[in-house]
Amino acid sequence: MTLLKFQPIPATKTTPFNLFNNMFDRSIADFVGHDGLTNYQPAVNVVEAENAYYLEFAAPGFNKSEFSARVENDQLIVEGKREVAADQTEKRYTRREFQVASFQRTFKLPKTVNQDAVQAVYENGVLKITLDKKAEAKPLQKTIEIA
């Protein structure tokens, strides 16, 4: 007895490109080539806490020395510069889903950010940037004595 993989084509995917992907488990871009057409942007989480903003960039495959971060004109500019190795440009991929490329992300900083107190740490493939809030932006808590 021979087992065959069967995947019925979903009714919601009716475009020719999706039919091609479902039938051959590849996109047309894999055959035509798309390395120069994609614009790599790492995923970013932004969290606001009481005393700071936290940004987390998913950037595996980079070295710490390949990052730069700066504050300029009320903007946070984060760059990852990655040189493409010679053996990577010589390879002819039939499928390429893993990509590490240079990027630049810019974020407009709110007025509440202390631009002199920006910290960055890169560990386990995640670049973490902490933007402390100014003292006047932090919530004021005052206990009122009831007489």
Side-chain angles (χ1 to χ4, degrees):
M1 178 176 184
T2 305
L3 293 176
L4 297 173
K5 181 179 177 184
F6 175 73
Q7 291 182 323
I9 298 172
T12 58
K13 294 185 176 182
T14 58
T15 66
F17 295 119
N18 288 332
L19 290 173
F20 188 84
N21 287 344
N22 288 339
M23 293 171 68
F24 297 101
D25 193 29
R26 291 194 171 165
S27 78
I28 289 177
D30 290 330
F31 295 102
V32 177
H34 63 287
D35 290 343
L37 302 176
T38 59
N39 188 12
Y40 173 73
Q41 293 290 308
V44 178
N45 292 334
V46 179
V47 177
E48 181 180 3
E50 191 173 307
N51 297 320
Y53 293 94
Y54 301 97
L55 283 77
E56 298 174 327
F57 293 77
F62 280 86
N63 293 319
K64 184 169 70 169
S65 62
E66 295 174 318
F67 290 108
S68 69
R70 67 185 185 278
V71 174
E72 186 177 299
N73 299 323
D74 296 327
Q75 294 183 333
L76 173 68
I77 302 166
V78 179
E79 293 178 300
K81 295 206 181 210
R82 180 94 193 223
E83 297 295 325
V84 178
D87 66 334
Q88 296 296 315
T89 58
E90 295 172 0
K91 293 179 183 176
R92 177 167 160 76
Y93 292 92
T94 56
R95 184 173 189 94
R96 186 174 184 181
E97 293 182 0
F98 179 80
Q99 180 180 355
V100 177
S102 296
F103 70 90
Q104 179 179 358
R105 299 287 307 259
T106 303
F107 299 89
K108 177 91 172 117
L109 295 177
K111 302 262 185 236
T112 57
V113 169
N114 181 356
Q115 295 184 11
D116 296 324
V118 179
Q119 302 161 11
V121 175
Y122 181 65
E123 58 186 12
N124 299 325
V126 179
L127 176 63
K128 298 176 183 180
I129 297 180
T130 303
L131 302 163
D132 288 336
K133 291 183 179 179
K134 294 178 182 176
E136 62 266 15
K138 296 177 184 175
L140 176 65
Q141 287 189 328
K142 181 179 177 183
T143 303
I144 300 171
E145 189 176 323
I146 301 173

